[in-house]
Amino acid sequence: MGARTKKENRILELLNLKGWSQAELARKLGVSAQSVQYWTTGKTFPRGQRLAKLAELSGYPQSWFLGEDPAPSFNTQDKYPEKSDSVTFTVLDVEFSCGDGSQVRGDFIDVVRSIELDPEYARRLVGNRPFKNIEIGNARGDSMAPTIAPGDLLFLDKTVTYFDGDGIYAFCFDGECYVKRLQKIGSKIVVLSDNSNYQPWSIEKDGLNMLYIQSKVISSVPFNINRFG
């Protein structure tokens, strides 16, 4: 059991060292987010080709993941250089539904573009969170109106992949993605919309294994397109 705990801690340690979320690691490896979640909780462990790809991706030997070698040194500043004149955020190729849910496209989320913002403005949007922890998604649907409108850019803290108290989250449940308020009541989580036309629904204790929290919504910015012809 001790060796298993050591191995699963190596996956968590890698995420911490690299500043990756579970979703990012899943995307980089081409596996499901649930697989990575199982690795970090010790339910399963990457083996064979997956372990080899993990070693290649991270630059750490397979023996390190097996708990046989000490932790390698890692310079986070080299990995996350910050420009002084702008801050770059990645934009995810996914729309989180503020409605009845949108289908997940594949097992992972691609990054298709980026947005550069003035550092002062970016700091107002994300507070004191490290810029490297933030990514951007798009909202669709009106269930979170007037708080979040269709098409708004959502600033997401990708390091919050667990229930971190009541708040607005980007999450997937039973194969569909949402942006909703989550509130824990007893052993269940209640899913709430800000638009009163949408009824609340609950994720019971026995359904929590199908809940995957992608990130926590930190702020939103209107993204309106005016068409002329």
Side-chain angles (χ1 to χ4, degrees), residues 18 22 30 53 55 59 78 84 88 108 114 120 128 131 147 157 159 163 165 169-170 177 203 213:
K18 296 288 191 180
Q22 292 181 24
K53 190 171 181 180
D78 291 341
S84 58
T88 302
F108 53 91
S114 62
E120 212 173 295
N128 61 0
F131 291 139
T147 308
D157 188 338
T159 66
F163 182 78
Y169 292 84
C177 289
I203 302 174
I213 293 178

Side-chain angles (χ1 to χ4, degrees), residues 20-27 33-34 37 90 92-94 96 104 107-111 133 135-137 156-163 168-173 176-179 182 211-217:
W20 294 341
S21 66
Q22 292 181 24
E24 275 186 294
L25 180 58
R27 175 178 60 79
Q34 190 177 48
Q37 188 178 40
T90 55
L92 301 175
D93 181 24
V94 66
F96 290 100
V104 181
D107 288 330
F108 53 91
I109 296 169
D110 289 326
V111 175
N133 291 353
E135 56 195 8
I136 297 174
L156 312 165
D157 188 338
K158 64 187 179 184
T159 66
V160 183
T161 55
Y162 52 91
F163 182 78
I168 301 177
Y169 292 84
F171 66 94
C172 297
F173 179 71
E176 296 185 338
C177 289
Y178 303 87
V179 165
L182 296 182
L211 172 65
Y212 172 66
I213 293 178
Q214 164 77 19
S215 50
K216 191 171 188 178
V217 181

Side-chain angles (χ1 to χ4, degrees), residues 57-101:
L57 172 69
S58 65
Y60 305 156
Q62 294 185 34
S63 57
W64 180 75
F65 291 97
L66 297 172
E68 298 170 4
D69 292 337
S73 60
F74 182 76
N75 188 335
T76 54
Q77 278 204 317
D78 291 341
K79 182 67 180 175
Y80 299 107
E82 289 193 359
K83 301 177 184 178
S84 58
D85 57 338
S86 66
V87 179
T88 302
F89 297 105
T90 55
V91 181
L92 301 175
D93 181 24
V94 66
E95 288 184 325
F96 290 100
S97 175
C98 297
D100 295 325

Side-chain angles (χ1 to χ4, degrees), residues 1 3 19 27 31 57 64 78 103 117 120 130 134 140 148 179 196 198 207 212:
M1 180 63 71
R27 175 178 60 79
V31 301
L57 172 69
W64 180 75
D78 291 341
Q103 280 299 127
L117 297 177
E120 212 173 295
I134 305 300
R140 74 174 181 84
I148 297 172
V179 165
S196 59
Y198 291 79
Y212 172 66

